[in-house]
Amino acid sequence: ERSSSTALREALAEPDFERVERLLGRRYALLGRVRHGLQLGRTLDMPTANIDLHRPLALRHGVYAVRGKVRGRWWDGVASIGVRPTIGTTRCLLETHLFGDCGDIYGEEMVVEFRAWLRPELKFDSLAELAARMQQDAEDARRILSAAA
């Protein structure tokens, strides 16, 4: 297959990470500095490392199984890209929950490598529904990542 920016955008929009990897010659990843957010993930028992997205991505809004690298160590995790419709925000953000205790990583650079699509971004009727779905997403990501190891 001929590698082109159009083919890459199409593969990211599906998302088809096997095709993306063939086109790039590596896994698709984003790099950014972890910043403070609203601390909502922490109150929902799923703290997240937040990275601002400064331009629109070809990658579809939704939830993904990921691996995150911070301070030279890789962690499995689950990430959401989107505008967080349940809380009514409009700025696109990458929020990554890493499995395990990686300590205080605010201000650190983090690589987020996308491994699998889990689901589209959804609006929930309550924070309790959102929290329950986030826990399910984390379990789905753990299962997918452990099967791929």
Side-chain angles (χ1 to χ4, degrees):
E1 176 177 13
R2 182 172 167 261
S3 183
S4 69
S5 59
T6 300
L8 181 59
R9 282 191 300 273
E10 288 171 355
L12 287 169
E14 289 180 26
D16 179 348
F17 290 117
E18 288 179 13
R19 183 174 177 212
V20 169
E21 188 172 348
R22 283 193 314 272
L23 291 167
L24 289 175
R26 62 171 173 79
R27 294 187 192 277
Y28 181 74
L30 296 174
L31 169 70
R33 191 161 304 280
V34 177
R35 67 158 188 85
H36 289 276
L38 299 174
Q39 307 294 316
L40 182 61
R42 185 178 315 270
T43 65
L44 299 176
D45 198 30
M46 191 164 291
T48 58
N50 302 310
I51 297 175
D52 281 324
L53 301 174
H54 300 289
R55 59 183 159 280
L57 298 176
L59 193 60
R60 188 174 173 190
H61 287 193
V63 179
Y64 297 85
V66 300
R67 296 205 70 219
K69 184 179 182 182
V70 64
R71 293 189 189 128
R73 180 169 173 202
W74 285 98
W75 303 80
D76 287 348
V78 61
S80 172
I81 292 179
V83 296
R84 302 174 292 168
T86 301
I87 61 172
T89 62
T90 58
R91 190 179 82 239
C92 193
L93 185 69
L94 169 59
E95 298 178 284
T96 305
H97 173 73
L98 301 174
F99 305 145
D101 183 8
C102 55
D104 182 355
I105 59 173
Y106 290 117
E108 299 285 340
E109 280 199 341
M110 183 168 73
V111 175
V112 179
E113 188 179 83
F114 293 81
R115 296 296 185 93
W117 163 259
L118 298 179
R119 66 170 176 85
E121 181 174 50
L122 302 171
K123 182 176 181 178
F124 295 92
D125 291 331
S126 70
L127 289 179
E129 285 180 30
L130 172 62
R133 186 56 190 259
M134 289 168 59
Q135 293 300 324
Q136 181 61 56
D137 293 337
E139 287 307 310
D140 292 345
R142 280 185 177 95
R143 187 182 66 257
I144 288 167
L145 294 167
S146 68

mmCIF file of all heavy atoms in Angstrom, residues 91-140:
data_model
loop_
_atom_site.group_PDB
_atom_site.id
_atom_site.type_symbol
_atom_site.label_atom_id
_atom_site.label_comp_id
_atom_site.label_asym_id
_atom_site.label_seq_id
_atom_site.Cartn_x
_atom_site.Cartn_y
_atom_site.Cartn_z
ATOM 1 N N ARG A 91 -13.393 22.065 24.598
ATOM 2 C CA ARG A 91 -11.995 21.972 24.188
ATOM 3 C C ARG A 91 -11.579 20.503 24.152
ATOM 4 O O ARG A 91 -11.813 19.764 25.106
ATOM 5 C CB ARG A 91 -11.094 22.749 25.137
ATOM 6 C CG ARG A 91 -9.661 22.880 24.619
ATOM 7 C CD ARG A 91 -8.772 23.679 25.547
ATOM 8 N NE ARG A 91 -8.321 22.782 26.604
ATOM 9 C CZ ARG A 91 -8.544 22.963 27.904
ATOM 10 N NH1 ARG A 91 -9.201 24.007 28.323
ATOM 11 N NH2 ARG A 91 -8.106 22.098 28.787
ATOM 12 N N CYS A 92 -10.963 20.074 23.063
ATOM 13 C CA CYS A 92 -10.534 18.689 22.916
ATOM 14 C C CYS A 92 -9.310 18.424 23.794
ATOM 15 O O CYS A 92 -8.399 19.252 23.878
ATOM 16 C CB CYS A 92 -10.213 18.403 21.456
ATOM 17 S SG CYS A 92 -10.034 16.646 21.123
ATOM 18 N N LEU A 93 -9.323 17.263 24.450
ATOM 19 C CA LEU A 93 -8.299 16.909 25.416
ATOM 20 C C LEU A 93 -7.997 15.421 25.313
ATOM 21 O O LEU A 93 -8.882 14.624 25.010
ATOM 22 C CB LEU A 93 -8.821 17.235 26.823
ATOM 23 C CG LEU A 93 -7.912 17.071 28.022
ATOM 24 C CD1 LEU A 93 -6.791 18.111 27.996
ATOM 25 C CD2 LEU A 93 -8.730 17.261 29.301
ATOM 26 N N LEU A 94 -6.753 15.060 25.560
ATOM 27 C CA LEU A 94 -6.360 13.665 25.704
ATOM 28 C C LEU A 94 -6.200 13.405 27.194
ATOM 29 O O LEU A 94 -5.387 14.045 27.858
ATOM 30 C CB LEU A 94 -5.038 13.394 24.971
ATOM 31 C CG LEU A 94 -4.345 12.059 25.232
ATOM 32 C CD1 LEU A 94 -5.239 10.885 24.859
ATOM 33 C CD2 LEU A 94 -3.021 12.002 24.490
ATOM 34 N N GLU A 95 -7.018 12.488 27.724
ATOM 35 C CA GLU A 95 -6.968 12.121 29.136
ATOM 36 C C GLU A 95 -6.566 10.654 29.217
ATOM 37 O O GLU A 95 -7.242 9.800 28.651
ATOM 38 C CB GLU A 95 -8.326 12.295 29.801
ATOM 39 C CG GLU A 95 -8.835 13.715 29.790
ATOM 40 C CD GLU A 95 -10.197 13.810 30.430
ATOM 41 O OE1 GLU A 95 -11.180 13.408 29.773
ATOM 42 O OE2 GLU A 95 -10.278 14.268 31.577
ATOM 43 N N THR A 96 -5.477 10.367 29.931
ATOM 44 C CA THR A 96 -4.952 9.010 30.001
ATOM 45 C C THR A 96 -4.876 8.552 31.442
ATOM 46 O O THR A 96 -4.272 9.231 32.282
ATOM 47 C CB THR A 96 -3.553 8.939 29.363
ATOM 48 O OG1 THR A 96 -3.614 9.449 28.037
ATOM 49 C CG2 THR A 96 -3.043 7.508 29.340
ATOM 50 N N HIS A 97 -5.494 7.414 31.708
ATOM 51 C CA HIS A 97 -5.384 6.779 33.026
ATOM 52 C C HIS A 97 -4.395 5.634 32.884
ATOM 53 O O HIS A 97 -4.609 4.705 32.098
ATOM 54 C CB HIS A 97 -6.737 6.245 33.495
ATOM 55 C CG HIS A 97 -6.652 5.446 34.755
ATOM 56 N ND1 HIS A 97 -6.424 6.028 35.976
ATOM 57 C CD2 HIS A 97 -6.714 4.109 34.961
ATOM 58 C CE1 HIS A 97 -6.389 5.073 36.905
ATOM 59 N NE2 HIS A 97 -6.549 3.899 36.306
ATOM 60 N N LEU A 98 -3.269 5.723 33.607
ATOM 61 C CA LEU A 98 -2.252 4.679 33.581
ATOM 62 C C LEU A 98 -2.521 3.713 34.715
ATOM 63 O O LEU A 98 -2.811 4.129 35.841
ATOM 64 C CB LEU A 98 -0.861 5.299 33.708
ATOM 65 C CG LEU A 98 -0.496 6.301 32.605
ATOM 66 C CD1 LEU A 98 0.846 6.960 32.906
ATOM 67 C CD2 LEU A 98 -0.478 5.626 31.242
ATOM 68 N N PHE A 99 -2.412 2.420 34.436
ATOM 69 C CA PHE A 99 -2.651 1.393 35.449
ATOM 70 C C PHE A 99 -1.417 1.286 36.344
ATOM 71 O O PHE A 99 -0.314 1.093 35.869
ATOM 72 C CB PHE A 99 -2.943 0.041 34.802
ATOM 73 C CG PHE A 99 -4.091 0.077 33.812
ATOM 74 C CD1 PHE A 99 -4.068 -0.710 32.678
ATOM 75 C CD2 PHE A 99 -5.200 0.883 34.025
ATOM 76 C CE1 PHE A 99 -5.115 -0.696 31.764
ATOM 77 C CE2 PHE A 99 -6.260 0.911 33.134
ATOM 78 C CZ PHE A 99 -6.209 0.115 32.000
ATOM 79 N N GLY A 100 -1.613 1.422 37.631
ATOM 80 C CA GLY A 100 -0.501 1.382 38.576
ATOM 81 C C GLY A 100 -0.218 2.767 39.120
ATOM 82 O O GLY A 100 -0.851 3.750 38.741
ATOM 83 N N ASP A 101 0.741 2.858 40.008
ATOM 84 C CA ASP A 101 1.089 4.131 40.639
ATOM 85 C C ASP A 101 2.356 4.696 40.016
ATOM 86 O O ASP A 101 3.460 4.262 40.335
ATOM 87 C CB ASP A 101 1.276 3.931 42.145
ATOM 88 C CG ASP A 101 1.571 5.236 42.864
ATOM 89 O OD1 ASP A 101 1.488 6.311 42.231
ATOM 90 O OD2 ASP A 101 1.891 5.175 44.066
ATOM 91 N N CYS A 102 2.182 5.652 39.115
ATOM 92 C CA CYS A 102 3.346 6.258 38.466
ATOM 93 C C CYS A 102 3.769 7.539 39.167
ATOM 94 O O CYS A 102 4.669 8.233 38.700
ATOM 95 C CB CYS A 102 3.072 6.491 36.983
ATOM 96 S SG CYS A 102 1.618 7.466 36.636
ATOM 97 N N GLY A 103 3.147 7.860 40.293
ATOM 98 C CA GLY A 103 3.541 9.038 41.064
ATOM 99 C C GLY A 103 3.028 10.327 40.455
ATOM 100 O O GLY A 103 2.188 10.332 39.561
ATOM 101 N N ASP A 104 3.553 11.434 40.945
ATOM 102 C CA ASP A 104 3.172 12.766 40.461
ATOM 103 C C ASP A 104 3.889 13.034 39.146
ATOM 104 O O ASP A 104 5.114 13.161 39.119
ATOM 105 C CB ASP A 104 3.550 13.818 41.506
ATOM 106 C CG ASP A 104 3.153 15.222 41.099
ATOM 107 O OD1 ASP A 104 2.661 15.425 39.966
ATOM 108 O OD2 ASP A 104 3.354 16.133 41.912
ATOM 109 N N ILE A 105 3.140 13.098 38.065
ATOM 110 C CA ILE A 105 3.761 13.302 36.750
ATOM 111 C C ILE A 105 3.384 14.640 36.120
ATOM 112 O O ILE A 105 3.658 14.865 34.940
ATOM 113 C CB ILE A 105 3.441 12.129 35.791
ATOM 114 C CG1 ILE A 105 1.931 11.956 35.597
ATOM 115 C CG2 ILE A 105 4.095 10.845 36.282
ATOM 116 C CD1 ILE A 105 1.561 10.932 34.527
ATOM 117 N N TYR A 106 2.784 15.537 36.894
ATOM 118 C CA TYR A 106 2.468 16.865 36.354
ATOM 119 C C TYR A 106 3.742 17.531 35.865
ATOM 120 O O TYR A 106 4.780 17.497 36.523
ATOM 121 C CB TYR A 106 1.798 17.743 37.407
ATOM 122 C CG TYR A 106 0.400 17.301 37.751
ATOM 123 C CD1 TYR A 106 0.085 16.866 39.026
ATOM 124 C CD2 TYR A 106 -0.604 17.306 36.790
ATOM 125 C CE1 TYR A 106 -1.189 16.452 39.350
ATOM 126 C CE2 TYR A 106 -1.888 16.884 37.103
ATOM 127 C CZ TYR A 106 -2.174 16.466 38.382
ATOM 128 O OH TYR A 106 -3.442 16.051 38.684
ATOM 129 N N GLY A 107 3.659 18.113 34.673
ATOM 130 C CA GLY A 107 4.801 18.794 34.082
ATOM 131 C C GLY A 107 5.731 17.878 33.310
ATOM 132 O O GLY A 107 6.602 18.357 32.583
ATOM 133 N N GLU A 108 5.551 16.569 33.427
ATOM 134 C CA GLU A 108 6.397 15.609 32.714
ATOM 135 C C GLU A 108 5.904 15.433 31.280
ATOM 136 O O GLU A 108 4.721 15.572 31.000
ATOM 137 C CB GLU A 108 6.365 14.240 33.407
ATOM 138 C CG GLU A 108 6.865 14.225 34.809
ATOM 139 C CD GLU A 108 8.375 14.327 34.910
ATOM 140 O OE1 GLU A 108 9.072 14.041 33.905
ATOM 141 O OE2 GLU A 108 8.863 14.703 35.989
ATOM 142 N N GLU A 109 6.835 15.106 30.378
ATOM 143 C CA GLU A 109 6.436 14.735 29.026
ATOM 144 C C GLU A 109 5.989 13.284 29.035
ATOM 145 O O GLU A 109 6.592 12.448 29.706
ATOM 146 C CB GLU A 109 7.586 14.918 28.044
ATOM 147 C CG GLU A 109 7.749 16.349 27.613
ATOM 148 C CD GLU A 109 8.547 16.476 26.323
ATOM 149 O OE1 GLU A 109 9.273 15.531 25.952
ATOM 150 O OE2 GLU A 109 8.429 17.534 25.694
ATOM 151 N N MET A 110 4.922 13.000 28.291
ATOM 152 C CA MET A 110 4.401 11.655 28.217
ATOM 153 C C MET A 110 4.117 11.296 26.758
ATOM 154 O O MET A 110 3.593 12.118 26.006
ATOM 155 C CB MET A 110 3.111 11.514 29.038
ATOM 156 C CG MET A 110 2.565 10.097 29.053
ATOM 157 S SD MET A 110 1.249 9.826 30.264
ATOM 158 C CE MET A 110 -0.097 10.690 29.503
ATOM 159 N N VAL A 111 4.478 10.083 26.386
ATOM 160 C CA VAL A 111 4.129 9.516 25.084
ATOM 161 C C VAL A 111 2.924 8.616 25.307
ATOM 162 O O VAL A 111 2.931 7.796 26.224
ATOM 163 C CB VAL A 111 5.292 8.677 24.510
ATOM 164 C CG1 VAL A 111 4.870 7.997 23.211
ATOM 165 C CG2 VAL A 111 6.522 9.530 24.300
ATOM 166 N N VAL A 112 1.897 8.781 24.488
ATOM 167 C CA VAL A 112 0.731 7.913 24.546
ATOM 168 C C VAL A 112 0.654 7.178 23.218
ATOM 169 O O VAL A 112 0.475 7.789 22.165
ATOM 170 C CB VAL A 112 -0.569 8.694 24.822
ATOM 171 C CG1 VAL A 112 -1.765 7.752 24.854
ATOM 172 C CG2 VAL A 112 -0.458 9.485 26.118
ATOM 173 N N GLU A 113 0.832 5.857 23.294
ATOM 174 C CA GLU A 113 0.839 5.000 22.116
ATOM 175 C C GLU A 113 -0.504 4.278 22.034
ATOM 176 O O GLU A 113 -0.896 3.583 22.972
ATOM 177 C CB GLU A 113 1.980 4.000 22.280
ATOM 178 C CG GLU A 113 2.258 3.154 21.081
ATOM 179 C CD GLU A 113 3.419 2.230 21.353
ATOM 180 O OE1 GLU A 113 3.183 1.158 21.968
ATOM 181 O OE2 GLU A 113 4.552 2.588 20.983
ATOM 182 N N PHE A 114 -1.188 4.438 20.923
ATOM 183 C CA PHE A 114 -2.541 3.898 20.762
ATOM 184 C C PHE A 114 -2.481 2.471 20.252
ATOM 185 O O PHE A 114 -1.855 2.185 19.245
ATOM 186 C CB PHE A 114 -3.347 4.794 19.820
ATOM 187 C CG PHE A 114 -3.607 6.134 20.420
ATOM 188 C CD1 PHE A 114 -2.633 7.126 20.381
ATOM 189 C CD2 PHE A 114 -4.793 6.393 21.070
ATOM 190 C CE1 PHE A 114 -2.850 8.359 20.974
ATOM 191 C CE2 PHE A 114 -5.023 7.620 21.661
ATOM 192 C CZ PHE A 114 -4.041 8.602 21.616
ATOM 193 N N ARG A 115 -3.182 1.561 20.975
ATOM 194 C CA ARG A 115 -3.146 0.141 20.633
ATOM 195 C C ARG A 115 -4.468 -0.374 20.098
ATOM 196 O O ARG A 115 -4.473 -1.202 19.206
ATOM 197 C CB ARG A 115 -2.756 -0.673 21.867
ATOM 198 C CG ARG A 115 -1.353 -0.388 22.389
ATOM 199 C CD ARG A 115 -0.321 -0.796 21.344
ATOM 200 N NE ARG A 115 1.028 -0.673 21.802
ATOM 201 C CZ ARG A 115 1.726 -1.643 22.366
ATOM 202 N NH1 ARG A 115 1.186 -2.815 22.572
ATOM 203 N NH2 ARG A 115 2.981 -1.432 22.727
ATOM 204 N N ALA A 116 -5.596 0.061 20.665
ATOM 205 C CA ALA A 116 -6.894 -0.477 20.218
ATOM 206 C C ALA A 116 -8.013 0.517 20.504
ATOM 207 O O ALA A 116 -7.986 1.232 21.504
ATOM 208 C CB ALA A 116 -7.193 -1.808 20.920
ATOM 209 N N TRP A 117 -8.980 0.530 19.627
ATOM 210 C CA TRP A 117 -10.201 1.324 19.766
ATOM 211 C C TRP A 117 -11.154 0.573 20.686
ATOM 212 O O TRP A 117 -11.365 -0.632 20.522
ATOM 213 C CB TRP A 117 -10.808 1.498 18.383
ATOM 214 C CG TRP A 117 -12.232 1.931 18.317
ATOM 215 C CD1 TRP A 117 -13.318 1.138 18.084
ATOM 216 C CD2 TRP A 117 -12.741 3.256 18.443
ATOM 217 N NE1 TRP A 117 -14.461 1.905 18.068
ATOM 218 C CE2 TRP A 117 -14.134 3.206 18.280
ATOM 219 C CE3 TRP A 117 -12.146 4.483 18.674
ATOM 220 C CZ2 TRP A 117 -14.933 4.330 18.340
ATOM 221 C CZ3 TRP A 117 -12.950 5.610 18.731
ATOM 222 C CH2 TRP A 117 -14.316 5.529 18.570
ATOM 223 N N LEU A 118 -11.739 1.261 21.659
ATOM 224 C CA LEU A 118 -12.718 0.634 22.550
ATOM 225 C C LEU A 118 -14.144 1.057 22.234
ATOM 226 O O LEU A 118 -15.032 0.217 22.127
ATOM 227 C CB LEU A 118 -12.397 0.949 24.015
ATOM 228 C CG LEU A 118 -11.062 0.435 24.542
ATOM 229 C CD1 LEU A 118 -10.870 0.847 25.993
ATOM 230 C CD2 LEU A 118 -10.958 -1.068 24.385
ATOM 231 N N ARG A 119 -14.353 2.375 22.119
ATOM 232 C CA ARG A 119 -15.721 2.845 21.872
ATOM 233 C C ARG A 119 -15.700 4.329 21.502
ATOM 234 O O ARG A 119 -14.727 5.036 21.768
ATOM 235 C CB ARG A 119 -16.597 2.637 23.108
ATOM 236 C CG ARG A 119 -16.188 3.475 24.298
ATOM 237 C CD ARG A 119 -17.218 3.415 25.416
ATOM 238 N NE ARG A 119 -16.775 4.131 26.586
ATOM 239 C CZ ARG A 119 -16.919 5.448 26.775
ATOM 240 N NH1 ARG A 119 -17.469 6.202 25.851
ATOM 241 N NH2 ARG A 119 -16.499 6.014 27.897
ATOM 242 N N PRO A 120 -16.812 4.833 20.926
ATOM 243 C CA PRO A 120 -16.891 6.268 20.631
ATOM 244 C C PRO A 120 -17.113 7.079 21.905
ATOM 245 O O PRO A 120 -17.524 6.547 22.946
ATOM 246 C CB PRO A 120 -18.106 6.373 19.706
ATOM 247 C CG PRO A 120 -18.948 5.192 20.041
ATOM 248 C CD PRO A 120 -17.999 4.109 20.475
ATOM 249 N N GLU A 121 -16.855 8.366 21.805
ATOM 250 C CA GLU A 121 -17.155 9.284 22.905
ATOM 251 C C GLU A 121 -18.674 9.337 23.077
ATOM 252 O O GLU A 121 -19.409 9.428 22.103
ATOM 253 C CB GLU A 121 -16.608 10.668 22.563
ATOM 254 C CG GLU A 121 -16.837 11.692 23.640
ATOM 255 C CD GLU A 121 -16.151 13.013 23.306
ATOM 256 O OE1 GLU A 121 -16.329 13.521 22.177
ATOM 257 O OE2 GLU A 121 -15.452 13.524 24.188
ATOM 258 N N LEU A 122 -19.124 9.252 24.327
ATOM 259 C CA LEU A 122 -20.553 9.242 24.625
ATOM 260 C C LEU A 122 -20.885 10.304 25.667
ATOM 261 O O LEU A 122 -20.044 10.675 26.474
ATOM 262 C CB LEU A 122 -20.968 7.871 25.187
ATOM 263 C CG LEU A 122 -20.709 6.653 24.318
ATOM 264 C CD1 LEU A 122 -20.965 5.378 25.106
ATOM 265 C CD2 LEU A 122 -21.573 6.698 23.065
ATOM 266 N N LYS A 123 -22.143 10.732 25.666
ATOM 267 C CA LYS A 123 -22.639 11.612 26.715
ATOM 268 C C LYS A 123 -23.486 10.761 27.663
ATOM 269 O O LYS A 123 -24.390 10.051 27.224
ATOM 270 C CB LYS A 123 -23.480 12.743 26.139
ATOM 271 C CG LYS A 123 -23.972 13.686 27.209
ATOM 272 C CD LYS A 123 -24.718 14.869 26.645
ATOM 273 C CE LYS A 123 -25.137 15.761 27.796
ATOM 274 N NZ LYS A 123 -25.816 16.947 27.351
ATOM 275 N N PHE A 124 -23.165 10.850 28.962
ATOM 276 C CA PHE A 124 -23.897 10.086 29.967
ATOM 277 C C PHE A 124 -24.837 11.008 30.727
ATOM 278 O O PHE A 124 -24.598 12.206 30.825
ATOM 279 C CB PHE A 124 -22.912 9.407 30.925
ATOM 280 C CG PHE A 124 -22.072 8.373 30.233
ATOM 281 C CD1 PHE A 124 -20.841 8.706 29.688
ATOM 282 C CD2 PHE A 124 -22.529 7.076 30.099
ATOM 283 C CE1 PHE A 124 -20.075 7.766 29.029
ATOM 284 C CE2 PHE A 124 -21.771 6.126 29.441
ATOM 285 C CZ PHE A 124 -20.536 6.466 28.905
ATOM 286 N N ASP A 125 -25.904 10.435 31.290
ATOM 287 C CA ASP A 125 -26.902 11.219 32.019
ATOM 288 C C ASP A 125 -26.421 11.653 33.400
ATOM 289 O O ASP A 125 -26.979 12.575 33.982
ATOM 290 C CB ASP A 125 -28.209 10.432 32.156
ATOM 291 C CG ASP A 125 -28.914 10.256 30.819
ATOM 292 O OD1 ASP A 125 -28.744 11.129 29.935
ATOM 293 O OD2 ASP A 125 -29.624 9.244 30.655
ATOM 294 N N SER A 126 -25.407 10.980 33.923
ATOM 295 C CA SER A 126 -24.907 11.334 35.255
ATOM 296 C C SER A 126 -23.431 10.976 35.368
ATOM 297 O O SER A 126 -22.911 10.168 34.591
ATOM 298 C CB SER A 126 -25.683 10.571 36.334
ATOM 299 O OG SER A 126 -25.354 9.188 36.280
ATOM 300 N N LEU A 127 -22.780 11.575 36.357
ATOM 301 C CA LEU A 127 -21.382 11.242 36.622
ATOM 302 C C LEU A 127 -21.242 9.804 37.113
ATOM 303 O O LEU A 127 -20.234 9.151 36.841
ATOM 304 C CB LEU A 127 -20.775 12.215 37.633
ATOM 305 C CG LEU A 127 -20.541 13.636 37.128
ATOM 306 C CD1 LEU A 127 -19.967 14.509 38.240
ATOM 307 C CD2 LEU A 127 -19.635 13.644 35.909
ATOM 308 N N ALA A 128 -22.260 9.291 37.801
ATOM 309 C CA ALA A 128 -22.226 7.899 38.253
ATOM 310 C C ALA A 128 -22.199 6.945 37.058
ATOM 311 O O ALA A 128 -21.454 5.959 37.056
ATOM 312 C CB ALA A 128 -23.419 7.604 39.158
ATOM 313 N N GLU A 129 -23.006 7.229 36.027
ATOM 314 C CA GLU A 129 -22.997 6.401 34.820
ATOM 315 C C GLU A 129 -21.647 6.497 34.116
ATOM 316 O O GLU A 129 -21.116 5.487 33.641
ATOM 317 C CB GLU A 129 -24.101 6.837 33.859
ATOM 318 C CG GLU A 129 -25.483 6.419 34.272
ATOM 319 C CD GLU A 129 -26.533 6.881 33.257
ATOM 320 O OE1 GLU A 129 -26.211 6.989 32.056
ATOM 321 O OE2 GLU A 129 -27.666 7.135 33.670
ATOM 322 N N LEU A 130 -21.099 7.707 34.049
ATOM 323 C CA LEU A 130 -19.787 7.908 33.441
ATOM 324 C C LEU A 130 -18.725 7.111 34.196
ATOM 325 O O LEU A 130 -17.911 6.411 33.588
ATOM 326 C CB LEU A 130 -19.424 9.398 33.427
ATOM 327 C CG LEU A 130 -17.998 9.746 33.006
ATOM 328 C CD1 LEU A 130 -17.713 9.296 31.578
ATOM 329 C CD2 LEU A 130 -17.761 11.248 33.163
ATOM 330 N N ALA A 131 -18.737 7.182 35.519
ATOM 331 C CA ALA A 131 -17.743 6.486 36.334
ATOM 332 C C ALA A 131 -17.826 4.976 36.120
ATOM 333 O O ALA A 131 -16.797 4.297 35.993
ATOM 334 C CB ALA A 131 -17.925 6.823 37.811
ATOM 335 N N ALA A 132 -19.027 4.432 36.065
ATOM 336 C CA ALA A 132 -19.197 2.992 35.845
ATOM 337 C C ALA A 132 -18.651 2.588 34.476
ATOM 338 O O ALA A 132 -17.968 1.566 34.346
ATOM 339 C CB ALA A 132 -20.669 2.606 35.978
ATOM 340 N N ARG A 133 -18.927 3.390 33.468
ATOM 341 C CA ARG A 133 -18.436 3.071 32.123
ATOM 342 C C ARG A 133 -16.917 3.200 32.050
ATOM 343 O O ARG A 133 -16.249 2.423 31.364
ATOM 344 C CB ARG A 133 -19.113 3.961 31.083
ATOM 345 C CG ARG A 133 -18.765 3.578 29.662
ATOM 346 C CD ARG A 133 -19.098 2.095 29.391
ATOM 347 N NE ARG A 133 -18.562 1.640 28.137
ATOM 348 C CZ ARG A 133 -19.283 1.503 27.028
ATOM 349 N NH1 ARG A 133 -20.567 1.790 27.029
ATOM 350 N NH2 ARG A 133 -18.721 1.078 25.936
ATOM 351 N N MET A 134 -16.352 4.172 32.767
ATOM 352 C CA MET A 134 -14.890 4.323 32.797
ATOM 353 C C MET A 134 -14.240 3.079 33.391
ATOM 354 O O MET A 134 -13.200 2.617 32.901
ATOM 355 C CB MET A 134 -14.502 5.576 33.578
ATOM 356 C CG MET A 134 -14.832 6.866 32.853
ATOM 357 S SD MET A 134 -14.710 8.352 33.889
ATOM 358 C CE MET A 134 -13.018 8.315 34.412
ATOM 359 N N GLN A 135 -14.827 2.511 34.433
ATOM 360 C CA GLN A 135 -14.287 1.287 35.029
ATOM 361 C C GLN A 135 -14.370 0.123 34.035
ATOM 362 O O GLN A 135 -13.432 -0.672 33.927
ATOM 363 C CB GLN A 135 -15.017 0.950 36.335
ATOM 364 C CG GLN A 135 -14.769 1.945 37.457
ATOM 365 C CD GLN A 135 -13.306 2.059 37.851
ATOM 366 O OE1 GLN A 135 -12.571 1.081 37.845
ATOM 367 N NE2 GLN A 135 -12.878 3.269 38.185
ATOM 368 N N GLN A 136 -15.481 0.044 33.314
ATOM 369 C CA GLN A 136 -15.619 -0.997 32.291
ATOM 370 C C GLN A 136 -14.591 -0.804 31.182
ATOM 371 O O GLN A 136 -13.988 -1.770 30.705
ATOM 372 C CB GLN A 136 -17.033 -1.001 31.710
ATOM 373 C CG GLN A 136 -17.242 -2.074 30.657
ATOM 374 C CD GLN A 136 -17.040 -3.472 31.212
ATOM 375 O OE1 GLN A 136 -17.690 -3.851 32.172
ATOM 376 N NE2 GLN A 136 -16.144 -4.244 30.611
ATOM 377 N N ASP A 137 -14.385 0.448 30.761
ATOM 378 C CA ASP A 137 -13.381 0.740 29.730
ATOM 379 C C ASP A 137 -12.000 0.295 30.186
ATOM 380 O O ASP A 137 -11.229 -0.278 29.408
ATOM 381 C CB ASP A 137 -13.349 2.240 29.416
ATOM 382 C CG ASP A 137 -14.618 2.744 28.753
ATOM 383 O OD1 ASP A 137 -15.358 1.943 28.142
ATOM 384 O OD2 ASP A 137 -14.864 3.967 28.851
ATOM 385 N N ALA A 138 -11.669 0.541 31.457
ATOM 386 C CA ALA A 138 -10.366 0.149 31.994
ATOM 387 C C ALA A 138 -10.215 -1.373 31.963
ATOM 388 O O ALA A 138 -9.154 -1.891 31.588
ATOM 389 C CB ALA A 138 -10.183 0.689 33.409
ATOM 390 N N GLU A 139 -11.270 -2.084 32.325
ATOM 391 C CA GLU A 139 -11.213 -3.560 32.286
ATOM 392 C C GLU A 139 -11.051 -4.055 30.854
ATOM 393 O O GLU A 139 -10.278 -4.986 30.598
ATOM 394 C CB GLU A 139 -12.455 -4.162 32.936
ATOM 395 C CG GLU A 139 -12.467 -4.048 34.436
ATOM 396 C CD GLU A 139 -11.196 -4.597 35.080
ATOM 397 O OE1 GLU A 139 -10.786 -5.738 34.754
ATOM 398 O OE2 GLU A 139 -10.587 -3.876 35.889
ATOM 399 N N ASP A 140 -11.773 -3.436 29.919
ATOM 400 C CA ASP A 140 -11.653 -3.820 28.512
ATOM 401 C C ASP A 140 -10.222 -3.585 28.018
ATOM 402 O O ASP A 140 -9.645 -4.419 27.320
ATOM 403 C CB ASP A 140 -12.642 -3.041 27.650
ATOM 404 C CG ASP A 140 -14.091 -3.405 27.909
ATOM 405 O OD1 ASP A 140 -14.345 -4.453 28.552
ATOM 406 O OD2 ASP A 140 -14.972 -2.624 27.496
#
